[in-house]
Amino acid sequence: MIACGIDYGTTNTSVAIAKENGKTQVIELDDANTPSTSLPSLVYIGADGSILTGRKAAHVFIQNNVGREVIMQSEETGMEISIISRAEPEKSEFYNPGLIDPDVMETISIKTQVDVNLPGRLFQSLKTKLKFTDFKGTDVFGKHYQIEELVSLILKRCKEKVEEYMSDTVDVAVLGRPVFFSQNQFEDQVAERRLRNAAMIAGFKEVVFFYEPVSASIEYISTTTPNDQLVMVVDIGGGTCDICIMKFQRAETLEERLKRSTVLSVSGDTVAGDMIDKEIIRKRLFHYFGSTARYGSKRLPIPRNILNVVLDWQNLYRLNTEETINWLVAVETFSDQPEAIRALRLLIQKNCGYPLALVVENAKKELSFQEQVKIQFCYEELNIEETINREEFSKIIEDILGQIQTLIVEAEQKAGVKPDDISLVLTTGGTCLIPAIQKMLIERYGLQKIISRDTFTSVARGLAVVSRYL
Ligand SMILES: Nc1ncnc2c1ncn2[C@@H]1O[C@H](COP(=O)(O)OP(=O)(O)OP(=O)(O)O)[C@@H](O)[C@H]1O
Ligand SMILES: [Mg+2]
């Protein structure tokens, strides 16, 4: 059976195969993306049932959704619940447990707010959601999609592309997995099982899992003949930070090198690029949406749960109800920062959450190559212009940097080694391009020990090497 290596990432997915000559080949997955070997892990499902993955999913979502008029309607769900209604507070169970007056119980039907004009939904960072035992799936235009099915749409595209390249059927997927989908063992197992199911739904007959950072170290020894060495891999992507320490012994052939290599330790957690983007919004953009505003005679703040939706654009549409919008219009009138409240309302009403998140992510990426960036977002009366320099950015992500450092120390301690014992530190994953992370590694291990491996393909290539030895 033919096998391929798939690095299904929170943000990007890549695929590689092992070639006859011992090398690996990364497969083109998405013509619309740069680089075309990375498939953005995005799924768009249109109201007409059309399904798109990758860069086009984002394009079509923005084209169809941003600025459109949202029409929310109240619809019956067909479910009923009993509630305590018309109760005097002192009579209700809430205030007097056990003293329910049956006269105040009432059966009501549950209604839900439906965006009847919704052209399609976009799913991002699905990998992060694999562990949530209560997120089994979602209803999309009347059809229920389990999370496995949504993920399988990405893996299916990978399978089709690699089969097109090979002109043959590819039945085995060597799939990367983070060291921890979750620190909770049960959730971690649920996530892996769901990812396996997703690969099966995509048509693979056999699935083998391999730790992502270990794959990156195997990619390294498949192209280099290192002396006896202790190698650390730091792989920080969109969803997780994954670390491993490997011991390699010198040998001429790759097979011998692999046989003589040992994993001394692994560590990891869900601290990565997505979290950094949210931190930028929280610390630098929240005030554009009224985080410091007060309204009414009691000078009340905007409820945190409403502001937090700015961080979670995938659920922003839930606030687009007549009730919330009317409330925001009223608050605007009685607020000391009416323009900020209006900005919050426009963000919700005009569906600008995703494009704003993209602007923030792009600014963060640019900061890896320049000293200062401007986060600029203008849509009708929504005007954001915020300049951030590298030093400020390092401050914004101070806690995250601390968490990454803790994971590094944990890997060293588990392996029983000290920084000086490490011979090489291989970095991969988009978030490792952040200068503050590089600086942290240089300070700990010294500049000459840090080697950057290909940001988006080293894990997939390593998985392809593994596939050859199955
Ligand atoms: N130049 C850059 N500077 C800073 N961050 C970057 C840069 N390029 C990409 N990123 C960030 O890296 C992340 C994507 O990296 P990558 O493709 O390695 O993740 P992934 O493999 O999809 O995720 P994971 O391995 O966590 O599941 C995103 O958060 C992206 O914003
Ligand atoms: Mg990754």
Side-chain angles (χ1 to χ4, degrees):
M1 288 205 282
I2 304 178
C4 66
I6 303 182
D7 174 20
Y8 168 60
T10 310
T11 316
N12 296 296
T13 297
S14 32
V15 178
I17 48 148
K19 297 214 299 185
E20 296 287 322
N21 61 6
K23 297 212 162 107
T24 53
Q25 172 74 43
V26 182
I27 307 294
E28 307 255 326
L29 296 175
D30 190 351
D31 290 344
N33 194 54
T34 315
S36 54
T37 45
S38 283
L39 172 69
S41 308
L42 296 167
V43 175
Y44 176 83
I45 301 180
D48 55 359
S50 57
I51 291 174
L52 293 170
T53 51
R55 183 57 57 208
K56 203 151 178 224
H59 285 328
V60 171
F61 177 78
I62 292 174
Q63 218 169 49
N64 294 350
N65 273 276
V66 177
R68 87 187 155 87
E69 191 191 352
V70 174
I71 305 170
M72 297 302 284
Q73 262 177 23
S74 192
E75 285 190 4
E76 297 283 348
T77 61
M79 288 185 282
E80 291 186 333
I81 50 162
S82 286
I83 60 155
I84 302 164
S85 65
R86 298 191 306 272
E88 297 295 320
E90 64 275 11
K91 273 191 180 173
S92 74
E93 187 187 29
F94 182 73
Y95 289 94
N96 288 303
L99 285 179
I100 302 174
D101 179 348
D103 292 345
V104 297
M105 294 300 287
E106 190 186 19
T107 301
I108 59 158
S109 61
I110 304 175
K111 289 183 180 156
T112 180
Q113 289 283 335
V114 178
D115 179 357
V116 288
N117 201 21
L118 187 71
R121 278 181 65 186
L122 182 71
F123 297 93
Q124 188 191 33
S125 302
L126 282 163
K127 184 178 173 187
T128 311
K129 298 174 183 80
L130 283 167
K131 66 177 178 200
F132 295 131
T133 48
D134 53 355
F135 180 73
K136 297 200 169 67
T138 181
D139 283 317
V140 191
F141 307 108
K143 185 171 182 311
H144 187 75
Y145 285 85
Q146 289 186 322
I147 182 149
E148 291 91 326
E149 286 176 284
L150 293 171
V151 172
S152 78
L153 297 169
I154 297 279
L155 300 180
K156 190 156 176 277
R157 173 150 172 186
C158 295
K159 188 171 189 288
E160 283 166 4
K161 287 287 175 185
V162 68
E163 286 180 342
E164 201 178 292
Y165 180 86
M166 306 279 287
S167 306
D168 208 339
T169 313
V170 177
D171 288 322
V172 184
V174 182
L175 261 171
R177 58 149 291 165
V179 171
F180 292 110
F181 282 104
S182 164
Q183 299 288 343
N184 173 310
Q185 201 189 354
F186 178 69
E187 285 185 353
D188 192 74
Q189 286 166 353
V190 166
E192 190 186 283
R193 191 174 63 236
R194 284 174 169 173
L195 187 51
R196 180 186 301 279
N197 289 343
M200 292 299 196
I201 295 169
F204 288 104
K205 296 203 166 63
E206 208 178 310
V207 179
V208 179
F209 282 106
F210 213 79
Y211 281 142
E212 287 159 13
V214 178
S215 314
S217 75
I218 286 177
E219 182 275 331
Y220 175 70
I221 61 154
S222 74
T223 51
T224 340
T225 316
N227 292 321
D228 295 359
Q229 276 180 336
L230 279 188
V231 175
M232 170 183 270
V233 174
V234 180
D235 171 9
I236 317 178
T240 54
C241 166
D242 295 279
I243 295 164
C244 76
I245 297 179
M246 303 276 295
K247 189 174 178 168
F248 292 120
Q249 285 178 32
R250 192 178 168 80
E252 275 319 305
T253 67
L254 174 60
E255 205 165 349
E256 269 308 306
R257 288 203 289 280
L258 285 173
K259 260 190 208 152
R260 294 196 208 165
S261 65
T262 22
V263 181
L264 295 188
S265 70
V266 290
S267 71
D269 209 345
T270 47
V271 266
D274 283 358
M275 204 186 242
I276 290 174
D277 299 349
K278 288 187 175 156
E279 210 58 6
I280 297 174
I281 297 177
R282 203 195 320 268
K283 295 202 175 137
R284 294 301 288 265
L285 303 189
F286 255 23
H287 69 97
Y288 286 95
F289 301 103
S291 64
T292 57
R294 293 286 181 274
Y295 70 94
S297 57
K298 289 189 179 157
R299 299 190 42 77
L300 295 170
I302 302 297
R304 216 62 196 172
N305 63 329
I306 294 194
L307 270 172
N308 279 343
V309 178
V310 180
L311 298 174
D312 181 18
W313 66 263
Q314 294 193 80
N315 284 312
L316 199 64
Y317 74 100
R318 289 177 202 261
L319 288 185
N320 211 342
T321 63
E322 215 178 317
E323 202 183 351
T324 313
I325 298 301
N326 286 343
W327 180 80
L328 284 168
V329 170
V331 168
E332 187 180 322
T333 320
F334 298 106
S335 166
D336 57 356
Q337 291 179 29
E339 64 298 334
I341 310 300
R342 198 175 319 132
L344 178 60
R345 176 166 57 83
L346 279 172
L347 182 84
I348 298 169
Q349 266 186 315
K350 300 289 179 176
N351 269 301
C352 293
Y354 181 56
L356 175 67
L358 281 180
V359 165
V360 171
E361 188 192 359
N362 284 333
K364 171 194 73 174
K365 290 187 195 170
E366 279 174 35
L367 255 186
S368 296
F369 308 105
Q370 57 200 56
E371 273 299 322
Q372 184 168 302
V373 288
K374 199 186 268 179
I375 300 177
Q376 211 162 8
F377 189 81
C378 299
Y379 191 88
E380 296 181 0
E381 292 164 78
L382 188 61
N383 275 310
I384 293 176
E385 219 178 279
E386 185 79 8
T387 305
I388 302 183
N389 63 36
R390 271 198 196 161
E391 205 183 314
E392 290 166 334
F393 178 52
S394 301
K395 195 96 192 107
I396 292 171
I397 58 168
E398 207 172 25
D399 290 349
I400 293 176
L401 289 174
Q403 290 179 55
I404 293 170
Q405 172 116 0
T406 304
L407 293 170
I408 288 172
V409 174
E410 189 187 320
E412 286 173 5
Q413 285 171 349
K414 280 190 190 168
V417 300
K418 300 217 154 34
D420 278 353
D421 302 329
I422 304 277
S423 348
L424 277 182
V425 178
L426 310 177
T427 63
T428 185
T431 301
C432 268
L433 296 174
I434 293 178
I437 293 179
Q438 292 285 331
K439 184 166 167 265
M440 180 173 86
L441 294 171
I442 291 169
E443 276 169 10
R444 194 167 181 83
Y445 301 102
L447 177 65
Q448 66 293 346
K449 286 189 189 171
I450 317 291
I451 299 186
S452 293
R453 302 303 288 171
D454 188 277
T455 303
F456 302 111
T457 59
S458 63
V459 173
R461 283 189 194 274
L463 293 167
V465 174
V466 173
S467 76
R468 184 148 30 117
Y469 296 99
L470 287 179

